[in-house]
Amino acid sequence: EGQRGNSIGGVGMGNGATTTATTTGHPHANDALLQGNSTRAILRRITEMFSSPADHVPYLKSDQFAKDLHRLNKKVRAVLEDEPRCVFLQSPAYVFGDIHGNLEDLHFFSDNIWNLGMSLTAGNFVFLGDYVDRGMSCLECVAYLFAMKLSLPHKVFLLRGNHETRDVNGWEEHYGARSFIYQCQERFGQTVGFQLWNEINETFDRMPLAAVIDQDIFCVHGGIPRPISDPNADGGRIRDILNVSKVAGINPPYEHEEDEYQQVASDCIWSDPASEEQERTSVDEETGYGDSLRGGGAICFGHKAVSDFL
């Protein structure tokens, strides 16, 4: 579906690589979550792997890496459960688009933006989703980003994209060797690989859907959700996002997910800005929304939807 990730503020829409709104985050990691040598050892192994992956091929194919991912997932899941579905930040903040299993992109950002390390770089780091599929290093990218989230929970923010859903990252027939589920099972075998794939998706289920920087810039992977409550009430559309379940499968949804909030979550990760052609032919003049070219119930949003949202 092409590069995704949108930031709307003032208003500004951006796709792909990096946007700087540049947020002073909390300087300390969550000490309670980092206690114990085992967690520190996991973080050390993963950061060393990220620094020189070619030197850590045996580790990346080992049972130890699988165990590290299992433990890391449990820790990160607890951090994400404490976050609202829309996080509120202050500038400076760095905002990053799709990673898609591309370790080279993460290395480029590391070399050019946080070359002293994230902890020593002023500002917060906001990633807009789509961490897996298409690239060949999905597990390495997830491991590194989860390690950074655990190390710096008040500085690193991982939003959810449409590839952080089982229907998409489990679509091996479409993505083949570039699908996340294939890479998990090819690396660790059918049983352990499937278990890890599911555990990581359970962590994805807890990711926030959006971020707001300086009460002015709205960041989301897809776009503006359709309103399900009075848009003029306190909190407006942001309140709808905040009310999405803390644990949301989205595609497919869990039984506890209400249809209207599943729609809000789906719009956040799937919707697209309308093209000029769509504005003329398919966007409803009253609502500002229309059917997306993606099909499958996805929507696009036009100028009126953006104006109403702001």
Side-chain angles (χ1 to χ4, degrees):
E1 38 318 18
Q3 288 291 312
R4 300 298 304 285
N6 295 316
S7 296
I8 304 174
V11 128
M13 304 283 294
N15 292 325
T18 314
T19 302
T20 306
T22 321
T23 269
T24 304
H26 195 289
H28 303 295
N30 189 324
D31 292 335
L33 287 167
L34 291 179
Q35 285 178 355
N37 290 330
S38 62
T39 302
R40 294 188 183 279
I42 290 169
L43 296 178
R44 187 191 72 248
R45 283 192 289 271
I46 290 174
T47 53
E48 288 177 352
M49 172 277 295
F50 178 75
S51 297
S52 55
D55 296 330
H56 290 80
V57 172
Y59 167 65
L60 289 169
K61 295 182 177 180
S62 70
D63 291 342
Q64 183 65 63
F65 185 45
K67 291 176 182 177
D68 286 351
L69 284 169
H70 170 72
R71 295 182 183 124
L72 186 60
N73 261 286
K74 292 177 67 175
K75 298 284 188 181
V76 173
R77 207 172 295 157
V79 175
L80 295 174
E81 285 180 356
D82 284 339
E83 292 184 342
R85 298 306 82 196
C86 179
V87 294
F88 296 88
L89 312 171
Q90 293 179 319
S91 61
Y94 294 96
V95 182
F96 303 88
D98 299 6
I99 300 300
H100 274 310
N102 192 330
L103 201 60
E104 290 78 10
D105 281 358
L106 278 178
H107 280 142
F108 177 85
F109 296 146
S110 175
D111 292 342
N112 291 278
I113 297 175
W114 62 84
N115 62 318
L116 297 177
M118 284 186 174
S119 62
L120 297 177
T121 303
N124 288 342
F125 299 89
V126 182
F127 294 85
L128 298 181
D130 277 13
Y131 309 109
V132 298
D133 295 328
R134 297 186 178 165
M136 298 304 294
S137 302
C138 296
L139 284 161
E140 291 86 341
C141 290
V142 167
Y144 176 72
L145 290 171
F146 280 7
M148 293 302 98
K149 178 63 183 174
L150 184 60
S151 299
L152 302 164
H154 303 290
K155 193 175 177 69
V156 175
F157 297 90
L158 304 176
L159 306 189
R160 191 174 186 177
N162 56 305
H163 282 260
E164 281 69 65
T165 61
R166 292 167 182 80
D167 279 358
V168 179
N169 66 46
W171 195 6
E172 184 178 344
E173 295 82 2
H174 180 71
Y175 291 105
R178 296 180 180 275
S179 74
F180 185 43
I181 191 170
Y182 175 90
Q183 292 180 28
C184 289
Q185 294 184 316
E186 192 275 336
R187 184 82 58 92
F188 300 116
Q190 292 290 315
T191 302
V192 174
F194 181 83
Q195 180 184 357
L196 266 177
W197 173 80
N198 191 56
E199 287 179 358
I200 293 170
N201 271 289
E202 288 177 351
T203 304
F204 291 162
D205 291 340
R206 291 155 170 82
M207 284 180 168
L209 296 165
V212 175
I213 301 172
D214 292 342
Q215 298 294 318
D216 186 51
I217 301 172
F218 178 71
C219 302
V220 68
H221 178 76
I224 302 167
R226 289 164 285 182
I228 62 171
S229 58
D230 182 359
N232 298 315
D234 289 345
R237 214 76 57 83
I238 298 296
R239 182 183 59 189
D240 291 344
I241 299 173
L242 289 170
N243 286 335
V244 171
S245 173
K246 283 279 191 180
V247 181
I250 309 180
N251 304 122
Y254 290 107
E255 288 186 4
H256 70 262
E257 292 178 64
E258 299 176 43
D259 289 345
E260 57 185 2
Y261 286 108
Q262 193 267 346
Q263 174 186 293
V264 170
S266 184
D267 287 353
C268 284
I269 65 173
W270 279 106
S271 64
D272 294 300
S275 66
E276 291 301 320
E277 176 67 18
Q278 287 173 303
E279 286 274 12
R280 290 193 299 270
T281 60
S282 62
V283 170
D284 187 304
E285 293 181 1
E286 294 294 320
T287 66
Y289 293 93
D291 293 332
S292 170
L293 296 175
R294 295 171 180 274
I299 55 101
C300 64
F301 55 94
H303 297 307
K304 187 178 189 305
V306 173
S307 298
D308 290 348
F309 180 79
L310 294 175

